[in-house]
Amino acid sequence: MQNRLTIKDIARLSGVGKSTVSRVLNNESGVSERTRERVEAVMNQHGFSPSRSARAMRGQSDKVVAIIVTRLDSLSENLAVQTMLPVFYEQGYDPIMMESKFSPQMVEEHLGMLKRRNIDGVVLFGFTGLGEQMLGSWQSSLVMLARDARGFASVCYDDEGAIRVLMQRLYDGGHRHISYLGVPHSDVTTGQRRHNAYLEFCQQNALPAVAALPGLGMKQGYEKVADVLTPQTTALVCATDTLALGASKYLQEQRIDGLQLASVGNTPLMKFLHPEIVTVDPGYADSGRQAAMQLIEQINGRSEPRQIVIPVTLS
Amino acid sequence: MQNRLTIKDIARLSGVGKSTVSRVLNNESGVSERTRERVEAVMNQHGFSPSRSARAMRGQSDKVVAIIVTRLDSLSENLAVQTMLPVFYEQGYDPIMMESKFSPQMVEEHLGMLKRRNIDGVVLFGFTGLGEQMLGSWQSSLVMLARDARGFASVCYDDEGAIRVLMQRLYDGGHRHISYLGVPHSDVTTGQRRHNAYLEFCQQNALPAVAALPGLGMKQGYEKVADVLTPQTTALVCATDTLALGASKYLQEQRIDGLQLASVGNTPLMKFLHPEIVTVDPGYADSGRQAAMQLIEQINGRSEPRQIVIPVTLS
DNA sequence: CTGTTAGCGCGTTCAA
DNA sequence: TTGAACGCGCTAACAG
């Protein structure tokens, strides 16, 4: 591109040596207040900013991280990404985006590419089928979201808590026949944990459990909600917003009224389309922030990988 | 990080000089077939990949582009981004994501940051209020999406065509009282052009024009759709999927049946929630691919900025 | 055809 | 407290 100035230019312009400029740039000690001020003055007078590539070459870190989402149009992941971007920018990291489309193979390809590019770290939105072995040598520079993996840092939602909160609210509202629409147990967090929490609550409160676990999609909610409706059913808990969206569509079409829906989610779309649904916020927004912060701490060696659980919020 | 090998190592291991390795790396001519093969063998035997930062420093290009979306959760922009990512990866570009949230000031900040980072190019999703002057010196390395700006490359939708197609289909279906729900004219493309196309069609076919231009949001569609419904109205055209979503919600709640909805959009969410709506596909997916390709061509100096219009597809 | 040499912009010694 | 010299991994200019 055009002639960007270098520390050499700044040095010349402020009448000092290159290394002094370098020291000022990195806030190193050993520079007199006077020279520091003078150099800084010259620097922002000319809008100087050091070359990333040159620093990267010396320092081994190019200050780039990757965010691997499952799908760009995932409502929940969007909320998380929205909060993590500002954190990365603030710390000077460039976040590059990748999409896995729920394919372990794509994740593997992406990680390979990232490894070759010598990237600093990765935030990976977990999903079923992701083997821990393919995450290879990323232990120290990867944060997994929405799922935990042994040896890796992770930010998870309180799956059991979310369901318990929903169930309790429905129970307190007088509901005694609460059905459940969820995700297969092959999905440990959204599937197994939430379903188990449902079953447990039913057992503890002597409620009949009526559940189906069709999957993650809207269409699956739409097609399978009928399976969990009995003549006694007065409420329905959905494991995700997306399922609830599908279920609602069916209920509307069938003109089935008077059924209280509840879901884990709290996404803006849901709040607009169906404000009447009882929701809990699993903390998507918070999870993004936390994941970004955790990753940065690990990159800087200020933290070991650790598991973070986001508390549920009423909404 | 760990000891990655360098061209020096490869040179030593294959018994040649550094520059020969460099030549092989860049597919330059002037290397005998035998040495080339030998070097290449050593290279992928050791899984060698050159340091990005070092190349960047020499070559002035770090092969990084930015994608500035208005909102991460925009349905249409998601479709475009999904198709542009693979294009960038294929060409070795790392796409970093930023969100403008419809704020010109944020765009300015982001562009400033990108300028300082010496990025190769930008894909910018346009919106109302974006002044051409703030795009400063990006003429040659920016592609604007969904909006055109003088002197800049752009990929736009065929706003007029999209509306005409919808209107024609409704007209052919026998509808003679077609209302319109759109966006204010301050938004030139989605607002003005689409509205004008509606008005023009009405005039040419002697139809009464009944329109409101509340804005882009679902809520605005929901609140204002009543304004355009007359006792004669049999069909409603919405400028965007999002507006149609809001309008449908109102219609469902009011139990207003027998109104044919139509919208410009064709997003997956829409197709699921309201398959009965007539839609045209403005080519969101295609626009992403095209924008990415155009940007890369400009970066490589193989193309001047030019305006691309994506043709409408029936759906 | 190939190896040698000289930087790119920066951080890091090491003397002064 | 400061500056000069060196090298990071790579490409480009110049010799062989």
Side-chain angles (χ1 to χ4, degrees):
Chain A
M1 301 287 178
Q2 63 275 33
N3 313 328
R4 295 170 53 95
L5 355 79
T6 74
I7 50 169
K8 203 164 147 190
D9 300 317
I10 301 295
R12 188 170 34 77
L13 288 167
S14 40
V16 299
K18 290 193 314 179
S19 31
T20 304
V21 178
S22 176
R23 289 183 183 107
V24 171
L25 216 48
N26 302 320
N27 282 317
E28 282 175 18
S29 61
V31 182
S32 75
E33 211 39 55
R34 285 190 58 255
T35 19
R36 180 180 300 271
E37 277 169 14
R38 190 151 39 92
V39 173
E40 276 172 347
V42 176
M43 269 161 52
N44 41 36
Q45 173 192 337
H46 291 270
F48 166 79
S49 73
S51 145
R52 280 176 88 69
S53 14
R55 310 189 92 173
M57 211 174 70
R58 286 308 283 123
Q60 314 288 21
S61 156
D62 43 3
K63 288 225 156 201
V64 174
V65 295
I67 302 172
I68 307 183
V69 299
T70 60
R71 304 200 37 165
L72 284 171
D73 55 1
S74 158
L75 300 174
S76 55
E77 292 183 10
N78 271 332
L79 286 173
V81 174
Q82 279 178 323
T83 60
M84 75 178 95
L85 290 185
V87 177
F88 283 133
Y89 293 143
E90 215 165 275
Q91 302 291 324
Y93 286 90
D94 280 344
I96 88 177
M97 287 281 281
M98 318 187 98
E99 206 182 16
S100 72
K101 302 194 174 172
F102 294 106
S103 151
Q105 193 198 332
M106 288 213 77
V107 171
E108 208 158 9
E109 282 172 22
H110 284 150
L111 288 179
M113 171 176 300
L114 295 173
K115 168 79 50 180
R116 263 171 273 129
R117 307 242 162 128
N118 203 30
I119 218 156
D120 291 310
V122 179
V123 173
L124 175 60
F125 284 82
F127 55 89
T128 303
L130 260 186
E132 292 172 9
Q133 74 287 352
M134 79 167 45
L135 303 182
S137 55
W138 292 94
Q139 281 88 216
S140 59
S141 51
L142 181 144
V143 173
M144 178 112 85
L145 243 103
R147 196 136 327 207
D148 43 17
R150 276 191 306 277
F152 291 87
S154 62
V155 177
C156 286
Y157 306 114
D158 180 5
D159 295 284
E160 289 90 350
I163 296 296
R164 271 200 305 270
V165 166
L166 286 181
M167 293 297 288
Q168 190 66 52
R169 287 178 77 176
L170 293 172
Y171 189 89
D172 292 347
H175 295 279
R176 291 298 179 271
H177 289 267
I178 308 173
S179 297
Y180 179 85
L181 203 54
V183 176
H185 282 201
S186 56
D187 181 323
V188 177
T189 56
T190 314
Q192 191 178 53
R193 290 190 192 157
R194 296 189 190 179
H195 182 219
N196 285 346
Y198 165 76
L199 294 177
E200 195 175 325
F201 188 96
C202 287
Q203 196 180 355
Q204 288 176 349
N205 296 274
L207 302 183
V210 181
L213 308 176
L216 280 165
M218 267 185 281
K219 184 182 282 184
Q220 289 156 312
Y222 177 81
E223 288 167 352
K224 295 300 179 188
V225 59
D227 295 0
V228 297
L229 297 184
T230 69
Q232 291 80 41
T233 308
T234 60
L236 171 68
V237 168
C238 298
T240 74
D241 265 7
T242 311
L243 275 172
L245 230 41
S248 308
K249 177 169 158 63
Y250 179 85
L251 298 176
Q252 270 183 348
E253 283 179 9
Q254 302 295 319
R255 295 267 195 276
I256 300 176
D257 273 348
L259 192 70
Q260 176 66 56
L261 251 68
S263 82
V264 180
N266 200 37
T267 56
L269 180 69
M270 196 59 170
K271 271 191 278 202
F272 174 76
L273 285 180
H274 297 289
E276 77 282 4
I277 293 185
V278 172
T279 63
V280 287
D281 184 349
Y284 294 132
D286 229 27
S287 73
R289 209 186 338 271
Q290 298 266 13
M293 289 169 54
Q294 170 65 24
L295 182 59
I296 289 173
E297 283 184 10
Q298 279 180 223
I299 291 173
N300 295 337
R302 285 202 309 268
S303 165
E304 290 301 301
R306 61 194 174 117
Q307 329 256 111
I308 299 172
V309 175
I310 307 289
V312 173
T313 318
L314 287 167
S315 57
Chain B
M1 298 287 176
Q2 63 272 34
N3 312 330
R4 295 170 55 94
L5 352 81
T6 76
I7 50 169
K8 203 165 147 191
D9 300 317
I10 302 294
R12 189 170 34 76
L13 288 167
S14 41
V16 298
K18 290 193 314 178
S19 33
T20 304
V21 178
S22 176
R23 289 185 184 106
V24 172
L25 215 48
N26 301 322
N27 282 318
E28 281 176 20
S29 60
V31 182
S32 74
E33 209 41 53
R34 284 190 58 255
T35 25
R36 182 182 297 274
E37 277 171 13
R38 190 151 39 94
V39 173
E40 275 173 348
V42 175
M43 267 156 76
N44 41 36
Q45 174 190 337
H46 291 269
F48 167 79
S49 73
S51 146
R52 278 177 91 67
S53 14
R55 310 190 94 176
M57 209 173 73
R58 259 349 258 113
Q60 312 290 20
S61 156
D62 43 3
K63 288 227 156 202
V64 174
V65 295
I67 302 171
I68 308 184
V69 298
T70 60
R71 303 200 39 166
L72 284 171
D73 55 2
S74 158
L75 300 174
S76 54
E77 294 184 9
N78 270 332
L79 287 173
V81 174
Q82 279 179 322
T83 61
M84 71 178 92
L85 290 186
V87 177
F88 283 133
Y89 292 142
E90 216 165 89
Q91 302 291 326
Y93 287 89
D94 281 345
I96 88 176
M97 289 282 282
M98 318 187 99
E99 206 183 17
S100 72
K101 302 192 174 175
F102 295 104
S103 152
Q105 193 198 330
M106 287 211 77
V107 171
E108 206 157 11
E109 284 174 20
H110 284 150
L111 288 179
M113 173 174 301
L114 295 173
K115 169 79 50 184
R116 264 172 271 129
R117 308 241 162 133
N118 202 31
I119 220 158
D120 291 309
V122 179
V123 174
L124 175 59
F125 284 82
F127 55 90
T128 302
L130 260 187
E132 292 172 7
Q133 73 287 352
M134 79 166 46
L135 305 182
S137 54
W138 292 94
Q139 281 89 212
S140 60
S141 51
L142 181 143
V143 173
M144 178 114 85
L145 244 103
R147 196 136 325 209
D148 42 19
R150 277 191 303 278
F152 292 88
S154 62
V155 177
C156 284
Y157 306 114
D158 180 6
D159 296 284
E160 289 91 351
I163 295 296
R164 270 199 305 271
V165 167
L166 285 181
M167 292 297 288
Q168 191 64 52
R169 288 179 75 174
L170 293 172
Y171 189 87
D172 293 348
H175 294 279
R176 291 298 179 271
H177 288 267
I178 308 173
S179 296
Y180 179 85
L181 205 54
V183 177
H185 282 199
S186 56
D187 180 324
V188 178
T189 56
T190 314
Q192 194 179 52
R193 292 189 190 158
R194 296 189 188 180
H195 182 219
N196 285 346
Y198 165 76
L199 293 177
E200 194 174 325
F201 189 95
C202 287
Q203 197 179 354
Q204 289 177 348
N205 295 274
L207 302 183
V210 182
L213 308 176
L216 279 166
M218 268 183 281
K219 184 181 282 184
Q220 289 157 311
Y222 176 81
E223 287 167 353
K224 296 299 178 190
V225 59
D227 295 0
V228 297
L229 297 183
T230 70
Q232 290 80 38
T233 308
T234 61
L236 172 66
V237 168
C238 299
T240 73
D241 265 10
T242 311
L243 275 172
L245 230 40
S248 308
K249 179 171 158 62
Y250 179 84
L251 298 177
Q252 269 184 348
E253 284 179 9
Q254 302 294 319
R255 294 268 194 275
I256 299 177
D257 272 346
L259 192 70
Q260 177 64 57
L261 251 69
S263 81
V264 181
N266 199 36
T267 55
L269 180 69
M270 196 59 170
K271 272 192 280 202
F272 174 77
L273 285 180
H274 297 289
E276 77 282 3
I277 292 186
V278 172
T279 63
V280 286
D281 185 350
Y284 294 133
D286 230 25
S287 73
R289 207 186 340 273
Q290 298 265 16
M293 288 169 53
Q294 170 65 23
L295 182 59
I296 290 174
E297 283 183 12
Q298 279 180 224
I299 291 173
N300 295 337
R302 285 201 309 268
S303 166
E304 290 301 301
R306 59 190 176 121
Q307 327 255 111
I308 298 171
V309 175
I310 306 288
V312 172
T313 317
L314 288 166
S315 58

